[in-house]
Amino acid sequence: MNIQELIKQAKQDMQSPIAAEIFHDKSFESCIKCTACTAVCPVSRNNPLYPGPKQAGPDGERLRLKSPSFYDEALKYCLNCKRCEVACPSDVKIGDIIVRARNKHLAQQNKPFVQKLRDAILSNTDIMGTLATPFAPIVNTVTGLKATKFVLEKTIQVSKHRTLPKYSFGTFRSWYMKNAAKEQAKFDQKVAYYHGCYVNYNNPQLGKEFIQVFNAMDIGVVLLEKEKCCGLPLSVNAFPERAKKLAQFNTDYIEKMLDKNGLDVISEASSCTLNLRDEYHHILGIDNAKVRPHIHMVTPFLYKLFQQGKTLPLKPLKLRVAYHTACHVEKAGWAPYTLEILKQIPGLEVVVLPSQCCGIAGTYGFKAENYETSQAIGKTLFDNINEGGFDYVISECQTCKWQIDMSSNVICIHPITLLAMSINQ
């Protein structure tokens, strides 16, 4: 798909109603109006135009059921961090309700075409990665220019203040097929790796470190026969039809791996894992019941392996690191497992930062209209990092890395990278 087809797709997706039958969620009826969700909402604290998740979520859902044409423009301010769901004492799926409402009311959004195109470009990560990686040195140089950023803000409203992600010269998948596939097939025990867009197009080194860590436990790493972007950027940017196609595609190939090889599918990306495992059903109505128990976030999976007696040859790392609990990690309850994994590294000092949103929320912080709110949300986090005397910040979230790298004076790395550093000491 070229850029002209991308524009055409953006027009079609925004003009047509969602055809998929959406998962019906009655959890809004359990809302007791305690406002715990609004109290923890990072957007409502920093953007006076957003009344908060209670009004946009369960309160708004009651109005939308009474009047199907009702649409509240404030829904667009939600960044899908799901901290409202963590705080809710009644287990109301507030974030899910808001995303589904946005996707159900495409015609009422009246989004300017420039913003539709911008959102389509930000959301179609496979297309942009495929176009950019063969020319990565040139693309990275051009997108780093102030003039380029100025033009991007004036044309498609990507903030000129945002540091744009760098692309790799060549994909992780192509490297794996040329250099690792045969070797990994020799291992008796294996896992399947959903590498996602970030590893494939932006940071193949993290994928190599993932393989190194599992190989050090005598476990091979194989790839799905095919995979695409998990679809989360499309889902939250109001392209539900395209998101559902990707979701069904990935679910089919995960099921194919399960049927053929019986392998669990592991990802190092927190938001991708949560989307593959949970939101394909909750948001897009995909029946993934068969594969869901076999989709795992890497750190809980490693913790389980350690409990079963597997070990890693970890050497001392005399480092002081900060652990940032990313929003979807908080939602899924994965942080304790990551911290237990980090404790296995001798000599490592880990400081757990107060859990809060960094503000980028995937594509949210790239948009010019959201930039100030995005940075305001993350300010306390950035201050804690800058004042802590840390060697690194640790996070499982890839977009959190982009935000922390740009907005603080400390580099953010994945727990897998830290394990690989310890192995290589």
Side-chain angles (χ1 to χ4, degrees):
M1 183 181 288
N2 56 33
I3 197 69
Q4 287 78 20
E5 291 171 327
L6 184 62
I7 294 172
K8 182 179 179 181
Q9 183 70 53
K11 289 180 177 178
Q12 292 174 346
D13 285 353
M14 295 303 294
Q15 289 172 356
S16 62
I18 181 168
E21 181 180 348
I22 297 299
F23 172 79
H24 186 53
D25 181 6
K26 294 184 178 180
S27 69
F28 73 92
E29 295 176 348
S30 300
C31 174
I32 59 175
K33 301 185 182 297
C34 66
T35 71
C37 58
T38 300
V40 301
C41 176
V43 180
S44 60
R45 289 199 300 268
N46 293 281
N47 184 350
L49 297 177
Y50 186 53
K54 183 181 80 71
Q55 181 170 319
D59 286 358
E61 191 69 3
R62 294 183 178 96
L63 294 173
R64 289 186 287 269
L65 286 175
K66 291 178 180 178
S67 177
S69 62
F70 173 77
Y71 177 76
D72 183 1
E73 277 291 317
L75 287 169
K76 67 184 179 184
Y77 296 116
C78 171
L79 45 64
N80 194 40
C81 70
K82 297 192 181 297
R83 290 184 178 270
C84 52
E85 294 185 8
V86 175
C88 179
S90 303
D91 196 30
V92 178
K93 300 297 185 283
I94 307 165
D96 290 356
I97 290 169
I98 292 172
V99 173
R100 285 196 300 269
R102 287 201 303 236
N103 287 341
K104 192 176 180 179
H105 294 81
L106 301 181
Q108 291 97 319
Q109 292 183 22
N110 297 318
K111 192 183 293 185
F113 175 72
V114 166
Q115 290 188 5
K116 297 176 189 178
L117 176 60
R118 184 266 318 273
D119 293 353
I121 291 172
L122 292 175
S123 300
N124 283 276
T125 53
D126 280 324
I127 296 172
M128 301 310 297
T130 300
L131 292 172
T133 49
F135 312 100
I138 299 172
V139 171
N140 294 339
T141 299
V142 171
T143 56
L145 297 174
K146 288 185 178 180
T148 303
K149 295 179 181 181
F150 177 83
V151 171
L152 288 175
E153 178 163 307
K154 291 299 181 182
T155 54
I156 60 172
Q157 299 178 17
V158 170
S159 175
K160 64 183 179 183
H161 303 292
R162 176 63 57 189
T163 299
L164 299 176
K166 301 299 183 184
Y167 286 100
S168 168
F169 187 36
T171 66
F172 168 76
R173 196 171 189 89
S174 62
W175 171 87
Y176 178 92
M177 294 304 179
K178 292 178 183 177
N179 301 285
K182 289 183 179 179
E183 184 67 27
Q184 296 306 308
K186 296 177 182 178
F187 287 88
D188 292 330
Q189 184 178 353
K190 303 180 185 70
V191 295
Y193 179 27
Y194 178 87
H195 53 70
C197 302
Y198 171 74
V199 163
N200 200 37
Y201 303 116
N202 302 104
N203 191 1
Q205 180 59 31
L206 178 56
K208 297 174 186 179
E209 291 162 352
F210 181 99
I211 292 173
Q212 182 183 9
V213 167
F214 276 89
N215 285 178
M217 294 185 289
D218 202 30
I219 299 173
V221 176
V222 300
L223 304 186
L224 298 175
E225 181 182 337
K226 292 182 181 180
E227 69 166 72
K228 293 185 178 181
C229 170
C230 74
L232 181 59
L234 290 159
S235 182
V236 299
N237 279 293
F239 299 106
E241 292 285 8
R242 187 159 176 78
K244 183 167 183 178
K245 290 178 182 177
L246 299 190
Q248 190 62 62
F249 183 95
N250 288 326
T251 300
D252 289 345
Y253 275 95
I254 292 172
E255 184 172 343
K256 187 174 181 179
M257 173 64 74
L258 183 62
D259 290 342
K260 184 178 179 180
N261 300 304
L263 299 182
D264 285 331
V265 176
I266 319 299
S267 176
E268 92 296 324
S270 53
S271 294
C272 292
T273 309
L274 188 68
N275 198 38
L276 291 167
R277 194 191 71 171
D278 296 345
E279 297 189 357
Y280 276 7
H281 179 233
H282 297 165
I283 303 296
L284 299 172
I286 298 293
D287 180 6
N288 67 345
K290 181 178 178 179
V291 302
R292 186 181 186 277
H294 302 280
I295 299 171
H296 305 278
M297 178 63 186
V298 65
T299 47
F301 190 79
L302 287 175
Y303 176 82
K304 181 180 178 181
L305 291 177
F306 288 173
Q307 293 296 105
Q308 293 172 351
K310 288 283 187 180
T311 59
L312 278 171
L314 299 175
K315 301 171 186 176
L317 284 180
K318 300 297 183 182
L319 297 173
R320 174 179 166 86
V321 301
Y323 175 69
H324 164 60
T325 309
C327 293
H328 290 170
V329 171
E330 181 84 1
K331 166 61 180 173
W334 292 325
Y337 299 100
T338 299
L339 292 171
E340 286 300 314
I341 295 300
L342 295 179
K343 286 180 183 178
Q344 306 304 310
I345 302 176
L348 185 71
E349 180 185 358
V350 181
V351 176
V352 181
L353 298 172
S355 179
Q356 66 176 99
C357 180
C358 75
I360 194 169
T363 61
Y364 184 92
F366 286 87
K367 302 172 184 180
E369 67 270 24
N370 296 335
Y371 181 79
E372 289 187 7
T373 299
S374 172
Q375 295 307 107
I377 288 170
K379 185 180 184 306
T380 302
L381 174 66
F382 310 145
D383 290 344
N384 286 337
I385 292 170
N386 290 337
E387 296 166 4
F390 302 115
D391 295 295
Y392 295 102
V393 178
I394 310 300
S395 178
E396 306 91 331
C397 178
Q398 299 143 354
T399 54
C400 287
K401 171 181 170 54
W402 292 337
Q403 176 78 320
I404 291 168
D405 285 354
M406 187 194 82
S407 305
S408 78
N409 56 22
V410 184
I411 296 298
C412 181
I413 62 175
H414 196 280
I416 287 293
T417 300
L418 204 60
L419 291 175
M421 290 169 61
S422 179
I423 291 171
N424 291 326
Q425 276 291 97

